[in-house]
Amino acid sequence: MLDRSCIEAIDPLLEILDGKWTLPLLLELFVGTKRFGELRRRLNPISPKTLTDRLRVLEEKGIITRTLYPGVPLHVEYELTERGRNLQPIFAAMWAWVQENGLSPERGTEIVEEINFGLI
Amino acid sequence: MLDRSCIEAIDPLLEILDGKWTLPLLLELFVGTKRFGELRRRLNPISPKTLTDRLRVLEEKGIITRTLYPGVPLHVEYELTERGRNLQPIFAAMWAWVQENGLSPERGTEIVEEINFGLI
DNA sequence: CGGCATCCCTTAGGATACTG
DNA sequence: CAGTATCCTAAGGGATGCCG
């Protein structure tokens, strides 16, 4: 049971995490700093428009930074900010839930390999 | 930094949490068991169609139960399952993030009142 | 390479009326 | 009361082409 007040408290975060690709995108950046093209390949088949949209929103919300390295060809890197990295416990909690509660109600608990989810 | 394997691991949960109203709905049920009409009022202005859709999906995923008490007028109650209640740490982590990281990058840390988020 | 600009389409979700 | 049935809108997202 939760206190009612937390409902509206969480709301601004839901706004940040909204969108089909936002969480997969953040997960990619948790693995490490990435360039536009690499994100696009990893998140295949995301469209460049959608990827740009999401990146801009996350940048605006202070979750990631965009660093431009001038030159030809262009080189742009996206990286999590402190605020962004602080989201880690949320993903850790999600991961833990999946491990402990399985993929579906019918299946039993899955035996999982040792997976390094924590901070490296 | 996270291990890459957790990305696909979390995927099934993202499927469950998907949708504009899913998290607010779950939060309502964390507060306590509720009837259809009460959920509808609390989540105003959700449409009955959407509420039904979301409830059906969550039921199918084993997150909530639907209990029908026969009679006129009808009486139906929705309640979190064990699997559903286990999502609590995720919301707790979200709540903690908002408290510690503020609503926006510009604003300083907000001073918050004592709020009971944990298990009651 | 890293995007915009454009156009298009699917679908989640809204509005409303009606029923067991 | 707790939905279902319809119809409809909006907006997220996809596909493609072009540009600095």
Side-chain angles (χ1 to χ4, degrees):
Chain A
M1 299 300 173
L2 301 180
D3 189 279
R4 165 160 299 280
S5 59
C6 69
I7 296 180
E8 42 192 57
I10 290 179
D11 197 66
L13 179 56
L14 300 188
E15 210 169 299
I16 292 174
L17 300 182
D18 187 45
K20 176 179 175 181
W21 292 100
T22 304
L23 278 78
L25 171 54
L26 285 174
L27 286 167
E28 286 297 337
L29 290 175
F30 264 109
V31 173
T33 298
K34 288 201 172 51
R35 300 176 61 172
F36 186 89
E38 187 173 2
L39 286 171
R40 190 174 172 182
R41 265 174 278 122
R42 293 282 190 187
L43 297 175
N44 190 42
I46 194 174
S47 70
K49 171 181 171 295
T50 303
L51 180 53
T52 303
D53 288 351
R54 286 300 117 191
L55 287 168
R56 290 292 171 278
V57 170
L58 291 176
E59 196 185 349
E60 184 184 329
K61 303 277 187 183
I63 304 298
I64 63 174
T65 57
R66 176 180 184 273
T67 307
L68 170 66
Y69 298 89
V72 176
L74 276 176
H75 182 139
V76 177
E77 284 195 347
Y78 292 93
E79 186 173 15
L80 290 171
T81 63
E82 171 82 16
R83 270 166 68 83
R85 285 191 297 275
N86 289 344
L87 292 170
Q88 203 262 356
I90 297 175
F91 293 102
M94 289 185 178
W95 185 84
W97 186 90
V98 175
Q99 302 313 311
E100 292 161 19
N101 295 273
L103 297 176
S104 68
E106 291 74 24
R107 300 191 198 180
T109 304
E110 308 252 355
I111 310 296
V112 294
E113 302 294 324
E114 179 90 354
I115 297 182
N116 179 3
F117 186 84
L119 293 168
I120 299 176
Chain B
M1 300 301 172
L2 301 180
D3 188 279
R4 165 160 300 278
S5 59
C6 69
I7 296 180
E8 41 193 56
I10 290 178
D11 197 66
L13 179 56
L14 300 187
E15 212 170 296
I16 293 174
L17 300 182
D18 187 45
K20 176 180 176 182
W21 293 100
T22 304
L23 278 76
L25 171 55
L26 285 174
L27 285 166
E28 286 297 337
L29 291 175
F30 264 109
V31 173
T33 297
K34 288 201 173 51
R35 300 176 60 173
F36 186 89
E38 187 173 2
L39 286 172
R40 190 174 172 182
R41 265 175 276 120
R42 293 281 190 188
L43 298 175
N44 191 41
I46 194 174
S47 70
K49 170 180 170 297
T50 302
L51 180 52
T52 303
D53 288 351
R54 285 300 117 192
L55 288 168
R56 292 291 173 279
V57 170
L58 292 176
E59 194 185 349
E60 184 184 330
K61 303 276 187 184
I63 304 298
I64 64 175
T65 57
R66 176 179 184 272
T67 307
L68 169 66
Y69 297 90
V72 176
L74 277 175
H75 183 139
V76 176
E77 285 195 347
Y78 293 94
E79 184 173 15
L80 291 171
T81 62
E82 172 81 14
R83 270 166 69 82
R85 285 191 296 275
N86 289 344
L87 293 169
Q88 202 261 357
I90 297 174
F91 292 102
M94 289 185 177
W95 186 82
W97 187 90
V98 175
Q99 303 312 311
E100 291 161 20
N101 297 273
L103 298 177
S104 68
E106 291 75 24
R107 301 190 198 181
T109 305
E110 310 251 355
I111 309 294
V112 294
E113 302 294 325
E114 180 90 355
I115 297 181
N116 179 3
F117 185 84
L119 294 168
I120 298 177

